Amino acid sequence: MRRSRAFIPTAKEAPSDATLPSHQFLVRGGFINQQGAGLYNFLPLGKIVLEKIRAVVKEELDFAGCCEVQLSFVTPISLWERSGRADAMGKEMLRINDRHQNEFVLSPTNEEAMVELVKNRVTSYKDLPLNLYQINTKFRDEARPRYGLLRGREFLMKDGYSFHSSKEDMVREFDLMESTYKKIFTRLGLDFRVVAADSGAIGGDGSKEFHVLADSGEDTLIVCEACNYGANIETIDEFKDKIDELNEKSYEELKEQKIDQKCSCGANLYFKKGIEVGHIFQLGTKYSAALEANFSDENGRSKPFEMATFGIGVSRLVAAIIEQNHDESGCIWTKESAPYIVNIMVSNVKDEAQMSLGEELYVKLRAAKVDVIFDDTKERFGFKMKDAELIGFPYTIIIGKELESGLVQIFDRKTKESFSIDVSSAYEKIMELIK
Ligand code: ATP
Ligand code: MG
C-alpha cells in the first residue's frame, strides 16, 4: 500500500472517554472509530489486523479438525424460549421486531442455533465427534460498554460447539481445544495464562479462561510463581466476598497484597490482572437435553449429545495485543498481527534518488509477499516518524540524507533503536528481521 493512497486518519488527540492505551492509540492511529456506545467502525488498518487475527484462529482450528460455518446473526426468540435463556440472558440480549411484529434477537452467542442445526442431521454415534465453529458478529447490550474494543456491544467472536457420544470424548476435545488456543495466542505473540474459571450463565462443569496478562485487565487472577497454575478469583472460596473489591484495585495496589495460601506445588501465589480473550466450557447435555437433540448409540439407544463450547474474543484481541504491547508513543504490533510489518519511509520525496530507492524496495518486498507500506507522502520527516511510531509498524526503513553515502536506516519500533546499513544489504536484512 502506498501511504499517499491509504485511508489512515491519524489524530493528535484521543477521545475524552478513552482511558486505556489500546483505546487511545487505536483511535489515534486510525484503526477504529466510534459509531455509538460500544459500536466501532474498523478502518483499513483495523480491518487488516482483525483479518490477520481471524486467519490465525481459522488456520489452527481447521488444523485441529473443526469445521467453519456461518449462522444467521438474527435468530427467532422462540429458539431462546425453548432453552430457557430468553429470560436468563436478561437485558444483554437485544430484541427486535420485524414488520409482522415477530420477535427476533441479535445473537449474543449461538448454543441454541448450533444445537438446532445439528439436531436431526447428525443422528448416529458414527457421525460423531463434530466440532463446528464460526467467526462472526455478536451483540450484547452490555451494562457498561467501555474501554474501546475490549467491551463493545457489537463485537467479533469465534464461537465453537462440539458434539460427542460420550463424556470422555468431550473431555478429549476440550483438551485439544485448550492446546489449540494456546497455539493461537502464542502465534499472536501474547503473554497469557490459562486459568480455572467460573461457568457463569452458560453453565456446565469444566471451564477454563485464557487471559492476556495486562495491568489494565478487568479480571483478577491468582497465578503461581513456579508452575502453570492459575485461577480467576471468582472460583476461589476465600475471595468470594471480595471479588468486586479486588477487581476495582489496580495491579499496582494488588502487587503489595500477600496471599496466605500456597500453590499445590508448594510455591507462592500472586495476583495478576488479565483480559479474558478465550473461554472453553464443558457443557455436558444441558442444551442437547433441553432442545431434545439426540443421537443413537452403539446399542441403538437414543441419548442427548455430550457438548462443549469454545469462544475467542477476536475484536477484543486487537485491543488486548495493544494493552500488552505499547509505549508512550503508541502501538507496538507483534509480527503476526501487524497491519504492515515493514514501512518504507522516504524522508524527502522531492529527492529523486531517495524516491527511486523507495520504489525499488517497495516493488521487491511486495514481490516477496511482505506486508509493506510505502510512505511516499509529502509530510515532514518528524511528522512521518511520529505517525509511524503511533501506528506501530514493527520495522521502518528510513531513506534519507545518508543515502548520499550509500546508507539507509532500519528503525525497530519495539526498541526504538535504529542502525545504518548499506543500501545493497537493506533488503536481505529486512527479510532476516521479519522471519
Ligand atoms: P466477560 O466476562 O468479559 O463479559 P464473557 O464471559 O461474557 O466475557 P463469553 O460468553 O465467554 O464472554 O464470550 C467469549 C469471548 O468473547 C470472551 O472470552 C471475550 O473474549 C469475548 N467477549 C465477551 N464479551 C465481549 C464484549 N462485550 N466485547 C468484546 N469481546 C467480548
Ligand atoms: Mg460478559
Side-chain angles (χ1 to χ4, degrees), residues 74-85:
V74 178
T75 44
I77 188 74
S78 54
L79 189 62
W80 303 85
E81 281 165 349
R82 268 181 282 145
S83 71
R85 277 211 291 186

Side-chain angles (χ1 to χ4, degrees), residues 140 142 149-152 155 157 276-279 313 316:
R140 294 183 184 178
E142 298 274 357
L149 297 180
L150 289 177
R151 189 165 297 282
F155 55 97
M157 194 210 283
E276 181 194 320
V277 291
H279 200 166
R316 180 179 283 185

Side-chain angles (χ1 to χ4, degrees), residues 301-319:
R301 271 189 312 234
S302 179
K303 285 181 176 170
F305 296 108
E306 282 287 339
M307 287 180 64
T309 170
F310 315 100
I312 294 182
V314 178
S315 52
R316 180 179 283 185
L317 271 167
V318 176

Side-chain angles (χ1 to χ4, degrees), residues 50 91 140 158 191 213 238 247 267-268 353 364 382 405-406:
L50 198 64
K91 288 192 167 166
R140 294 183 184 178
K158 172 259 157 174
D191 182 14
L213 302 178
E238 192 187 332
N247 279 344
N268 289 327
K364 222 168 154 182
S405 337

